[in-house]
């Protein structure tokens, strides 16, 4: 050993450190005593409240940019065209970017063509024991509702559309028990059915009929009637100061004959009620089909006010402290 040390001192020092490290690992130490209860987070998104605050600050910048764009091409809302000629480099959608950030994962559900929607925090909905989804405007495509059911265990979908008889075969029979369908329409106020018109109900009335006090996801695609409907829906909540009863909104907006000023009025009502857009997608299928301007656009909103599935802190469950591998 002495001769090895003299001939290879660096090699010998390395062997000494290696032996010490092996002894440190193999010799049992005292059991680990934690100074606090360990908490296992079911949601790994760090500090959701901070993310909401940061997103709101970013959104405030978007509001200032909108005012600057309005001054440039207005200055009054009545002066702005929805889709001007080529001499003005903007469309109505440039004033309303989806500038808010979803603090969770964002997923597209349903067909990649017309009918699919972008959803924030599907993982949160998946763990809700009383997950409630309302879908207005089924038409001939139920792929969005089908994927919602396939990706959740406890969600129930209430569908409404007076133009069809029910959900399509996109929803498999095994999931049908988690759906309810009515041939009603969504409106700003209740109107009974007549010989020429279907029954129309406000969102508040339908929730009362179903015994619901919250909606985790609300989809609205009602071919232009969203302006009247949303204005009447939001007004009472703005007056009372109460938060809207849904956590997020997937909305297709139709501005066929709407002025910029009327759209701005609706949009500012949505913002005042706490809705923030986190995703937007123009309906290019309509542009190609009708050979028209992009008058239809999908928006997805988060409701940042009140206690809902997206705003409440991450749920936790307490676990016993871990044991040291060599402890009792």
């Amino acid at each position: 050993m002495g001769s090895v040390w003299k001939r290879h001192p660096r090699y010998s020092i390395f062997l000494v450190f290696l032996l010490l490290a092996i002894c440190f690992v193999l010799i049992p130490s005292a059991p680990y005593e934690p100074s606090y209860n360990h908490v296992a987070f079911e949601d790994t998104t760090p500090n959701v409240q901070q993310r909401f605050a940061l997103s709101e600050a970013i959104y405030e910048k978007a509001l200032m940019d909108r005012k600057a764009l309005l001054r440039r091409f207005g200055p009054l809302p009545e002066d702005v065209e929805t889709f001007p000629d080529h001499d003005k480099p903007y469309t109505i959608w440039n004033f309303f970017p989806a500038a808010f950030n979803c603090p969770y994962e964002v997923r597209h559900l349903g067909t990649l063509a017309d009918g699919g929607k972008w959803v924030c925090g599907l993982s949160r909905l998946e763990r809700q024991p009383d997950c409630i989804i309302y879908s207005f405007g089924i038409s001939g495509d139920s792929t969005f509702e089908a994927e919602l059911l396939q990706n959740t265990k406890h969600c129930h979908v209430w569908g409404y559309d007076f133009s069809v008889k029910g959900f399509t075969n996109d929803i498999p029979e095994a999931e049908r028990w988690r759906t309810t369908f009515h041939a009603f329409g969504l409106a700003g106020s209740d109107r009974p059915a007549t010989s020429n018109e279907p029954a129309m109900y406000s969102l508040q009335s339908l929730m009362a009929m179903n015994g619901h006090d919250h909606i985790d996801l609300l989809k609205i695609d009602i071919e232009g009637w969203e302006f009247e409907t949303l204005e009447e829906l939001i007004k009472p909540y703005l007056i009372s100061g109460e938060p809207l009863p849904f956590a997020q909104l997937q909305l297709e907006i139709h501005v066929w004959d709407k002025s910029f000023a009327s759209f701005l009025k609706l949009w500012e009502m949505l913002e005042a009620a706490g809705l923030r857009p986190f995703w937007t997608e123009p309906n290019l299928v309509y542009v190609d089909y009708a050979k028209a301007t992009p008058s239809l656009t999908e928006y997805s909103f988060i409701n940042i006010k009140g206690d809902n599935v997206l705003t409440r802190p991450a749920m936790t469950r307490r676990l016993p402290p871990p044991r040291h591998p060599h402890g009792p």
Side-chain angles (χ1 to χ4, degrees):
M1 179 69 181
S3 59
V4 173
W5 175 266
K6 292 178 180 178
R7 286 180 294 177
H8 303 286
R10 293 182 181 179
Y11 176 72
S12 301
I13 293 173
F14 171 76
L15 287 177
V16 171
F17 276 104
L18 179 61
L19 290 172
L20 290 175
I22 293 173
C23 292
F24 180 82
V25 171
L26 294 180
I27 297 175
S29 59
Y32 173 62
E33 295 293 342
S35 58
Y36 60 93
N37 289 329
H38 281 69
V39 178
F41 286 90
E42 295 180 2
D43 191 318
T44 59
T45 302
N47 209 324
V48 172
Q49 287 73 27
Q50 287 186 0
R51 290 196 173 197
F52 270 110
L54 176 59
S55 292
E56 186 68 359
I58 294 172
Y59 196 74
E60 289 292 333
K61 171 63 166 55
L63 294 180
M64 292 189 292
D65 291 342
R66 182 199 304 164
K67 293 178 181 178
L69 198 62
L70 183 57
R71 287 193 300 268
R72 179 181 176 187
F73 294 109
L76 299 177
E78 292 76 12
D79 300 325
V80 179
E81 301 174 64
T82 54
F83 299 100
D85 294 331
H86 296 297
D87 59 330
K88 296 179 180 179
Y90 73 86
T91 72
I92 184 174
W93 308 121
N94 294 117
F95 288 82
F96 309 99
F100 200 85
N101 294 318
C102 164
Y104 311 100
E105 80 285 359
V106 176
R107 291 186 56 180
H108 184 275
L109 300 180
T111 177
L112 288 174
D114 186 22
K117 310 292 179 184
W118 291 91
V119 175
C120 171
L122 183 63
S123 59
R124 296 299 297 257
L125 272 66
E126 184 181 6
R127 291 194 297 273
Q128 281 294 101
D130 58 345
C131 172
I132 297 171
I133 296 168
Y134 277 35
S135 180
F136 294 95
I138 306 300
S139 188
D141 188 339
S142 298
T143 56
F144 172 67
E145 293 78 9
E147 283 204 41
L148 275 171
L149 293 169
Q150 291 165 6
N151 285 278
T152 60
K153 296 179 180 179
H154 307 291
C155 290
H156 191 107
V157 177
W158 276 260
Y160 298 92
D161 192 328
F162 56 79
S163 69
V164 294
K165 295 182 179 180
F167 293 104
T168 69
N169 292 331
D170 296 317
I171 298 179
E173 288 296 328
E175 301 291 352
R176 291 277 172 161
W177 66 276
R178 289 198 285 145
T179 66
T180 301
F181 179 85
H182 293 289
F184 302 153
L186 179 66
S189 59
D190 298 346
R191 299 196 292 271
T194 66
S195 57
N196 299 320
E197 297 291 336
M200 308 291 288
Y201 293 98
S202 68
L203 183 65
Q204 294 92 328
S205 295
L206 291 173
M207 292 179 67
M209 290 180 194
N210 298 326
H212 296 152
D213 61 1
H214 76 282
I215 298 172
D216 294 302
L217 185 150
L218 172 63
K219 185 201 96 173
I220 297 179
D221 185 357
I222 52 178
E223 306 304 317
W225 291 101
E226 64 270 9
F227 283 79
E228 170 198 339
T229 299
L230 287 172
E231 286 181 5
E232 294 302 315
L233 165 65
I234 290 173
K235 281 179 182 177
Y237 293 95
L238 291 178
I239 294 172
S240 67
E242 293 293 318
L244 293 170
F246 49 87
Q248 66 179 295
L249 169 65
Q250 278 67 37
L251 174 69
E252 182 167 54
I253 300 176
H254 310 70
V255 293
W256 288 311
D257 57 350
K258 301 297 181 182
S259 67
F260 178 87
S262 64
F263 182 79
L264 178 63
K265 176 185 175 183
L266 171 66
W267 190 272
E268 290 179 339
M269 287 186 68
L270 298 178
E271 291 173 330
L275 294 177
R276 299 290 184 269
F278 67 87
W279 203 275
T280 183
E281 182 178 77
N283 189 329
L284 299 180
V285 174
Y286 169 78
V287 173
D288 183 63
Y289 177 79
K291 307 303 179 185
T293 55
S295 302
L296 279 59
T297 295
E298 301 277 0
Y299 274 96
S300 296
F301 298 84
I302 291 176
N303 179 11
I304 66 170
K305 291 187 176 181
D307 175 42
N308 61 57
V309 67
L310 297 181
T311 60
R312 70 176 61 109
M315 295 179 292
T316 64
R317 60 187 179 93
R318 293 196 176 276
L319 296 178
R323 294 183 176 182
H324 191 278
H326 299 291

